[in-house]
Amino acid sequence: MIRRILQLVLGLPLYGAGCAFVVAAGLGVDPWTALAEGIALRSGWGVGWVTNIIGLGVLALWIPLRQRPGVGTLANILLVGTAMQLVLDVLPPIDGLLARILLLCGGVLTVAVASGLYIGASFGSGPRDGLMTGLRDRLGWPLWAARGSVEITVLVIGWALGGTLGIGTVVFALAIGPLVHVFLPLLAVDTARAGRARAAAVSAVGSAANRRRAAGARAAHSSRSASSGSAPDSHPLRPS
């Protein structure tokens, strides 16, 4: 459990930092960040804070889809955008195409590692992933169709509002899936094995307690038997 919590609280801020690197590179962002960028340009709010608000709005869409959020879902809404905004506030302007390309690649790699950490912790899906699985479960759509339709819609709206699209958008779309596929098996916590270990520990504690109770009962019985055998006879036989 401790490892799972650590992965969650490390992975989500790291995810936000990776998204901040991609934004700062200025070469194009993923669909949801493009939407956040567009709204941020129109509202004057920070893109990280808008990311949190979008996550909360997407969570509201879970209600008709009958999806249930987990601890990881709520933590995702609170931590990802916050970390993104904090990192963007301290990053200096990035000059030079090579530096921007390196920052883009580093951001995508950071997001992939962070995804392996927080998904591997098994505390519940993020609000955006939950929306797509909810559409699959309620409407019977294939997951690829649900994801594709949602992300294309979000991307178009983000672009119309002024979000940054470019080579970074393509790199993110092509690279993030294979990279997460690499890191997730390495970082996933085997919750089934952990559950079996906890059950075995509980069983061992229970067995030890049962053995102690049984030993105590045997000792008490032996004590009573010894007391009965050594007690004087209250009706001795009289000599004839």
Side-chain angles (χ1 to χ4, degrees), residues 8-9 11 28 50 55 67 70 76 81 84 93 97 99-100 106 111 114 129 136 139 144 166 174 194-195 229 233:
L8 182 70
V9 300
V50 174
Q67 295 288 98
N76 186 298
M84 184 192 303
L97 181 59
R100 294 166 66 192
V111 169
D129 291 332
R136 178 198 63 188
L139 302 180
W144 64 267
L174 294 178
D233 192 352

Side-chain angles (χ1 to χ4, degrees), residues 15 30-32 58-59 61-62 65 67 118 125-155:
Y15 191 103
D30 66 278
W32 287 102
V58 172
L59 183 62
L61 297 177
W62 285 31
L65 296 175
Q67 295 288 98
Y118 92 81
S125 62
R128 297 155 188 81
D129 291 332
L131 172 63
M132 296 166 195
T133 56
L135 289 172
R136 178 198 63 188
D137 295 341
R138 295 294 296 167
L139 302 180
W141 295 1
L143 186 58
W144 64 267
R147 179 178 293 276
S149 60
V150 169
E151 291 192 345
I152 290 173
T153 301
V154 167
L155 185 65

